[in-house]
Amino acid sequence: MTSIDAARGMYFEDFAIGQELRTPERTITSTDIVNFACLSGDFNEIHANHEYCKRTPFGEPIAHGPLVYSIMGGLQYASGINDGTLLALLQIDAWRMLAPVRHGDTLHMRSTVVGKKETSRPDRGVVTFARRCIKQDGSVVQEMRATLMYRRRPPA
């Protein structure tokens, strides 16, 4: 557990409007897709049936949209941005699935700070990001606006 005093994440004050943040990359595996189906109970044929998928435009099972969203959260955590400073996910707006994600695709996320506001409590602030999940070929597979609450930098 990271103590507040030893947080390596970004505080509210560290974010600037227009700032772009990039996460590490992660390759999606068929195990990820199967495990998410087991966890969610969503065994829709488009995710779980190879023979069915041969007759679709995708040709093979594709990742669940919420799986990709979850991986985006993990990628942001892996970047260290939230480590010891994130307080809450407040809102997701305009979440769009733009392209399929298949086994073997490698994803990363780019987040641009599009909003920032202080709260009535002096120990926290709210940051809004335009998030884009990007595949190895540069195509955007998902996008959304995410509003998160962060700690403010503790007084010296």
Side-chain angles (χ1 to χ4, degrees):
M1 186 163 129
T2 303
S3 73
I4 295 169
D5 296 334
R8 72 178 180 117
M10 294 177 68
Y11 289 94
F12 172 77
E13 293 82 3
D14 299 328
F15 295 102
I17 302 293
Q19 177 181 21
E20 186 175 273
L21 305 163
R22 181 190 162 127
T23 68
E25 297 178 339
R26 182 186 189 289
T27 300
I28 306 308
T29 67
S30 56
T31 302
D32 293 326
I33 297 169
V34 170
N35 284 344
F36 192 83
C38 291
L39 177 68
S40 66
D42 180 354
F43 290 96
N44 186 303
E45 292 184 292
I46 201 69
H47 307 301
N49 183 331
H50 285 264
E51 291 305 312
Y52 171 83
C53 289
K54 287 178 183 176
R55 300 184 311 270
T56 71
F58 309 118
E60 62 182 286
I62 59 170
H64 304 70
L67 167 61
V68 175
Y69 170 85
S70 298
I71 287 171
M72 290 170 70
L75 289 170
Q76 182 151 339
Y77 175 77
S79 74
I81 293 166
N82 297 342
D83 196 2
T85 56
L86 178 70
L87 293 172
L89 169 63
L90 300 176
Q91 190 168 324
I92 297 293
D93 292 301
W95 179 26
R96 295 179 33 183
M97 274 56 66
L98 303 171
V101 173
R102 296 175 172 85
H103 160 81
D105 283 338
T106 298
L107 307 177
H108 72 277
M109 184 172 66
R110 291 189 185 193
S111 297
T112 303
V113 178
V114 295
K116 184 177 170 180
K117 67 178 184 175
E118 296 179 358
T119 67
S120 60
R121 300 203 35 198
D123 64 336
R124 60 194 67 183
V126 175
V127 180
T128 301
F129 300 93
R131 287 181 167 177
R132 296 174 320 281
C133 185
I134 302 168
K135 245 184 347 187
Q136 69 278 354
D137 64 3
S139 62
V140 178
V141 298
Q142 287 191 15
E143 65 183 14
M144 67 193 65
R145 289 175 60 96
T147 303
L148 296 97
M149 183 178 291
Y150 284 90
R151 294 186 189 279
R152 305 244 357 221
R153 191 169 297 286

